[in-house]
Amino acid sequence: MLLSGRRKLRGWGGVAGMAAACALAVSATALPLHDRADTAAGRDTPLRTQNKQLSATDTSCGQHPEASLTPSTASGPAVARIRKAGKLVVGVDQNSYRWGYRDAASTDIVGFDIDLVKAIAKDILGNENAVQYKTVPTSKRFEAIRKHQVDMVVRTVTINCQRITEEKVAFSTAYFQAGQQLLVPIKGSTIKDFNDTLNGKKVCTAKTSTGEAKLEEQPHGSHIVLVDNQLDCLVLLQLGEVDAVFTDNALAAGQAAQDPAVHLVGKPATTEYYGVAMNSGDTDLVRRVNHVLENYRSGGTNSQWEQAYRTWLKAVLPGIDGPPAPLYKNG
């Protein structure tokens, strides 16, 4: 991580900014997985979610990677393993304000993703607090799943074919829709969109992220800067080490809320769905999480999903009319 005493943080004022910088410095030297979590975050950028049943005429990965296994409450080896341990071990993000971060007042890990984790723990173990949180860097998420260091990862993970076929992870049905977008300083930036205004610019994104894949596919003349954790990009932007951050607009909106000196520009360059990521062999757990999500979405404006959205995201991501409709594979 690049932290220079000769450069000033742009737009990061007072104690809050210093605390975030210190937290980032600590996370850079920590083990890839350690217990519990921290902060980062959103500007007024409408993001609407299609709330309709998707066509299931082709549920192959290439057409619909967000298609998952049908819900079930049946217990199998993975659910039995979790119950025997008496806790759900979950990989989370410690740096995503509104999604998964440590509340400064209570020191508890809170956020939209964390509310979903609690619902899963309550369904499987009867106790929403029977959770061991492990902070997982973006670049280590799938390794942690494959090695069974965690039962699942819930940290704004985009569902795509590469992760299903190459990383060998399985996903729940989608619980949120987002897209890759550019975050830039309000003052002095000539970047207008994901186009040739990026030519010659340094653009930061996280390793193994969908942002990296999109930039590699269409760099538009930019110089790509890779980091382990997405929040590191915001620090580099504030230090003037990069010209833009390319990340999920759902996360970037939170960062813009935290730092009024930056904002989102242009339109989302991708359409992406977040899912709960699990080991591909834990099919019973995938089905159980999908059962939880069915209940989590149900109830209209009184659903647990809607309550979590109003609590954590509505202020920074207005205009969302509900969760994505689930899509299931045949069988």
Side-chain angles (χ1 to χ4, degrees):
M1 182 184 67
L2 300 175
L3 283 177
S4 171
R6 294 187 297 273
R7 293 184 180 269
K8 293 182 179 180
L9 292 174
R10 290 191 300 211
W12 228 351
V15 176
M18 289 303 296
C22 290
L24 186 58
V26 170
S27 68
T29 58
L31 293 174
L33 296 174
H34 58 280
D35 292 348
R36 305 196 55 100
D38 253 305
T39 98
R43 187 159 289 267
D44 204 286
T45 302
L47 177 69
R48 301 196 67 80
T49 301
Q50 293 181 347
N51 191 18
K52 61 182 181 180
Q53 185 64 46
L54 297 172
S55 171
T57 55
D58 184 350
T59 55
S60 65
C61 185
Q63 291 295 317
H64 291 293
E66 73 275 19
S68 186
L69 299 174
T70 53
S72 174
T73 58
S75 297
V79 173
R81 180 188 72 231
I82 293 166
R83 286 178 170 166
K84 182 177 180 179
K87 61 185 177 183
L88 183 68
V89 183
V90 185
V92 296
D93 193 357
Q94 67 173 349
N95 298 320
S96 293
Y97 183 59
R98 301 283 183 172
W99 289 91
Y101 69 103
R102 188 185 295 282
D103 179 68
S106 67
T107 73
D108 292 334
I109 301 174
V110 296
F112 186 85
D113 278 344
I114 306 307
D115 280 7
L116 176 55
V117 170
K118 290 181 177 181
I120 296 170
K122 186 172 182 178
D123 180 83
I124 295 176
L125 296 166
N127 180 1
E128 67 174 25
N129 295 315
V131 181
Q132 181 181 9
Y133 295 104
K134 291 194 172 185
T135 57
V136 184
T138 304
S139 60
K140 300 294 184 181
R141 295 171 295 179
F142 307 123
E143 178 184 341
I145 292 170
R146 288 193 301 269
K147 292 182 177 180
H148 278 297
Q149 295 171 323
V150 296
D151 296 312
M152 60 186 63
V153 170
V154 186
R155 62 180 310 283
T156 62
V157 184
T158 297
I159 305 167
N160 65 32
C161 286
Q162 183 271 334
R163 292 168 176 179
I164 294 169
T165 60
E166 297 180 24
E167 298 288 356
K168 305 299 183 184
V169 297
F171 287 97
S172 69
T173 52
Y175 67 86
F176 201 85
Q177 181 182 326
Q180 294 293 310
Q181 198 167 347
L182 289 159
L183 185 74
V184 302
I186 291 176
K187 294 182 179 180
S189 178
T190 59
I191 297 171
K192 304 301 181 184
D193 205 340
F194 190 71
N195 55 26
D196 289 344
T197 59
L198 292 175
N199 187 43
K201 305 298 186 182
K202 293 181 179 178
V203 182
C204 186
T205 194
K207 295 175 184 175
T208 75
S209 68
T210 50
E212 179 188 5
K214 186 65 175 178
L215 280 170
E216 291 287 354
E217 177 189 345
Q218 295 178 285
H220 290 293
S222 66
H223 305 290
I224 304 170
V225 178
L226 298 176
V227 295
D228 285 332
N229 277 302
Q230 189 269 336
L231 182 63
D232 294 5
C233 284
L234 178 62
V235 175
L236 295 183
L237 184 67
Q238 292 166 324
L239 291 171
E241 301 285 354
V242 298
D243 301 296
V245 174
F246 192 53
T247 188
D248 297 3
N249 53 5
L251 295 174
Q255 293 178 359
Q258 186 183 12
D259 183 353
V262 300
H263 69 158
L264 285 160
V265 295
K267 299 178 180 179
T270 62
T271 298
E272 302 178 9
Y273 296 99
Y274 294 161
V276 177
M278 291 159 277
N279 190 287
S280 59
D282 291 346
T283 55
D284 63 309
L285 183 59
V286 175
R287 293 183 187 278
R288 188 61 175 255
V289 170
N290 284 340
H291 163 74
V292 174
L293 282 169
E294 282 287 307
N295 293 330
Y296 202 72
R297 297 183 193 98
S298 66
T301 57
N302 293 319
S303 70
Q304 289 177 276
W305 190 98
E306 289 284 355
Q307 292 174 36
Y309 168 68
R310 288 194 294 268
T311 299
W312 301 110
L313 301 179
K314 188 174 182 178
V316 298
L317 283 170
I320 298 176
D321 58 7
L327 182 64
Y328 297 109
K329 300 176 183 179
N330 295 326

